[in-house]
Amino acid sequence: MLHRLLEVAPRRKVGSYRHPPVARLILTLFGVMLIVLLPRTWWWGHVAAVGAVLLIARILRIPWPWLGLRLLALEPIAVGSALLMLLQPNGVMIFLGTVLKSTSCLVCLLLLSATTSFNDILRALARLRVPG
């Protein structure tokens, strides 16, 4: 299974692949910030965000097994950090909202990593003068 995790997503010349890495990075950060800033009580907003992210993955033709395996590898981090929310009053709802938000953000970042090489991300950050 480890060799499946190390596979690189096939790069195709469709959709986002033709856009510059800076634009992809900014759109990803915008999407993550939008998901993070959604209030916990707006369940329909979260469902719409998850649907939009999955639609983008479909449009970009990202293989579902590739996306699923990486999400499965990263999900314990999201669930582990959200487990602390169970200790609060009304903790189950807070836990579910936190897991939903963190999973949506992880999928956004996985889409960025599937469409942009690491060197391109570093060049885009340098072009945006981040950090510094």
Side-chain angles (χ1 to χ4, degrees):
M1 181 159 156
L2 180 62
H3 70 284
R4 298 278 305 187
L5 283 173
L6 298 177
E7 287 178 1
V8 176
R11 304 224 191 271
R12 299 179 182 100
K13 295 292 180 188
V14 295
S16 174
Y17 298 96
R18 291 183 290 220
H19 299 315
V22 173
R24 286 181 249 164
L25 183 66
I26 289 173
L27 286 174
T28 301
L29 292 176
F30 177 75
V32 167
M33 290 305 296
L34 181 71
I35 291 168
V36 168
L37 292 176
L38 276 173
R40 256 186 268 137
T41 57
W42 290 14
W43 287 101
W44 291 110
H46 292 292
V47 170
V50 170
V53 169
L54 293 177
L55 180 66
I56 291 170
R58 181 71 184 137
I59 290 170
L60 294 176
R61 298 182 191 157
I62 305 296
W64 294 114
W66 185 89
L67 191 61
L69 278 174
R70 275 146 190 83
L71 189 59
L72 189 64
L74 294 173
E75 196 62 31
I77 298 167
V79 173
S81 62
L83 280 174
L84 295 173
M85 304 299 169
L86 290 173
L87 301 175
Q88 299 179 7
N90 197 15
V92 174
M93 296 304 289
I94 297 172
F95 169 77
L96 292 175
T98 304
V99 168
L100 186 62
K101 278 186 178 194
S102 58
T103 301
S104 302
C105 292
L106 282 174
V107 173
C108 285
L109 294 175
L110 284 173
L111 291 179
L112 177 67
S113 72
T115 58
T116 311
S117 70
F118 186 68
N119 288 333
D120 287 342
I121 293 173
L122 289 178
R123 278 189 227 112
L125 288 171
R127 187 169 175 201
L128 293 172
R129 297 175 190 210
V130 175

